[in-house]
């Protein structure tokens, strides 16, 4: 009886040890699987961040590329046709044209010259630029819309989805149109050009503004602007045998070495 009981206990003890090993191996497998999934998710998040960063950089470069007024104007002039010849388009952009509605674009038109493809570390980004002339009257195409769309290609082998960045900005037609009739001469208001009046095509001018008493007793700067009142002192002359250290607009500000 004692021998039989001992064998029974041995069998029971061996069975429990085998079951423990099986359970332990199963738990280790689950932990390994979970670790693999975490590592894969971490790697995918890292690659997604890298693609997103490269996409943003490429998109920014494409935007700067399309903000060249000279390039945009050259593309617009190259798109001239029988309905909208270059001369009419230029005048319509400047707001002085006729039959400008013939120059309008109902949809955006691709600009291959300003489109780009960027690649880095198996990442491919394509930036497509397009424009649309908006003509709201028969005498003016006052706005040109420019759109830049940048897309990164999907990479199924690394579990990365496609991403996209879009931007649209508007350029006043006057900046792209004919400027031959603009007058940059100051005919009134002063001798300093401060802007351009788009309606009259004339320069906006102002006189030099001085800080100080209006009687000019402390401002010997009348030689810089003939429009100052008469009676102002002339430019101060400073005799510095060894050279001038500092000179100011007002009298007595000159300092010699």
């Amino acid at each position: 009886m004692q021998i039989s009981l001992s064998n029974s206990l041995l069998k029971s003890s061996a069975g429990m040890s085998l079951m423990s090993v099986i359970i332990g191996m199963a738990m280790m497998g689950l932990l390994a699987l979970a670790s693999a999934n975490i590592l894969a998710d971490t790697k995918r998040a890292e690659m997604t961040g890298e693609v997103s960063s490269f996409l943003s950089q490429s998109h920014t470069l494409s935007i700067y590329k399309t903000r060249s007024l000279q390039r945009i104007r050259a593309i617009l002039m190259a798109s001239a046709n029988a309905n909208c010849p270059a001369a009419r388009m230029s005048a319509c952009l400047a707001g002085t044209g006729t039959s400008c509605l013939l120059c309008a674009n109902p949809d955006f038109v691709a600009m291959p010259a300003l489109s780009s493809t960027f690649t880095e570390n198996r990442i491919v980004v394509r930036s497509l630029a397009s424009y649309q002339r908006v003509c709201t009257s028969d005498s003016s195409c006052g706005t040109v819309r420019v759109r830049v769309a940048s897309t990164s290609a999907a990479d199924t082998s690394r579990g990365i989805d496609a991403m996209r960045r879009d931007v649209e900005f508007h350029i006043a037609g006057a900046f792209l149109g004919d400027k031959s009739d603009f007058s940059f001469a100051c005919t009134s208001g002063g001798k300093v050009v401060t802007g351009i009046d788009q309606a009259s095509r004339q320069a906006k001018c102002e006189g030099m503004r001085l800080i100080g008493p209006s009687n000019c007793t402390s401002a010997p700067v009348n030689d810089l602007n003939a429009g100052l009142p008469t009676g102002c002192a002339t430019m101060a002359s400073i005799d510095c045998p060894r050279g001038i250290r500092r000179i100011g607009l007002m009298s007595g500000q000159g300092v010699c070495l």
Side-chain angles (χ1 to χ4, degrees):
M1 287 297 290
Q2 290 181 349
I3 295 176
S4 176
L5 180 60
S6 298
N7 289 338
S8 177
L9 289 174
L10 288 174
K11 289 181 182 180
S12 176
S13 177
M16 289 297 294
S17 297
L18 180 61
M19 184 63 68
S20 299
V21 171
I22 293 174
I23 293 174
M25 292 179 63
M27 293 180 64
M28 290 177 63
L30 291 175
L31 289 174
L33 181 61
S35 299
N37 289 335
I38 292 174
L39 290 175
D41 291 342
T42 302
K43 185 65 176 178
R44 188 181 301 109
E46 180 182 343
M47 287 302 306
T48 300
E50 183 178 346
V51 172
S52 178
S53 176
F54 184 66
L55 174 60
S56 297
Q57 294 175 16
S58 304
H59 188 57
T60 300
L61 290 175
S62 297
I63 293 173
Y64 280 120
K65 186 177 179 180
T66 56
R67 286 191 171 178
S68 169
L69 295 181
Q70 292 181 344
R71 290 179 177 179
I72 298 294
R73 175 176 168 77
I75 291 173
L76 292 177
M77 294 301 108
S79 68
N81 52 43
N83 290 330
C84 185
R88 173 181 295 169
M89 186 189 306
S90 185
C92 290
L93 290 171
T96 59
T98 57
S99 303
C100 293
L101 293 176
L102 295 174
C103 294
N105 300 116
D107 301 310
F108 279 84
V109 180
M111 295 189 289
L114 297 182
S115 299
S116 306
T117 300
F118 306 89
T119 58
E120 181 181 273
N121 191 24
R122 295 171 57 188
I123 305 172
V124 180
V125 174
R126 292 180 175 85
S127 295
L128 303 178
S130 57
Y131 75 90
Q132 181 187 39
R133 282 190 301 268
V134 180
C135 306
T136 55
S137 70
D138 220 25
S139 62
S140 174
C141 295
T143 304
V144 174
R145 296 175 178 172
V146 178
R147 180 179 293 172
V148 180
S150 301
T151 307
S152 63
D155 190 342
T156 55
S157 65
R158 294 189 289 181
I160 301 174
D161 297 329
M163 303 181 194
R164 184 182 176 95
R165 300 283 189 277
D166 293 276
V167 69
E168 180 179 317
F169 56 91
H170 300 173
I171 303 174
F175 292 112
L176 302 168
D178 183 17
K179 297 179 178 60
S180 60
D181 62 339
F182 273 77
S183 174
F184 296 95
C186 290
T187 57
S188 62
K191 297 184 180 297
V192 180
V193 178
T194 59
I196 296 292
D197 187 339
Q198 297 290 343
S200 64
R201 326 288 286 176
Q202 291 287 328
K204 297 178 181 178
C205 302
E206 295 182 5
M208 180 178 292
R209 297 180 180 179
L210 298 176
I211 301 175
S214 59
N215 60 6
C216 302
T217 56
S218 63
V221 293
N222 65 313
D223 288 353
L224 298 180
N225 190 338
L228 286 176
T230 59
C232 296
T234 59
M235 293 295 292
S237 60
I238 304 173
D239 184 14
C240 291
R242 292 182 297 175
I244 299 174
R245 176 186 298 172
R246 184 179 71 250
I247 187 169
L249 284 176
M250 306 305 172
S251 345
Q253 286 188 353
V255 179
C256 298
L257 293 175

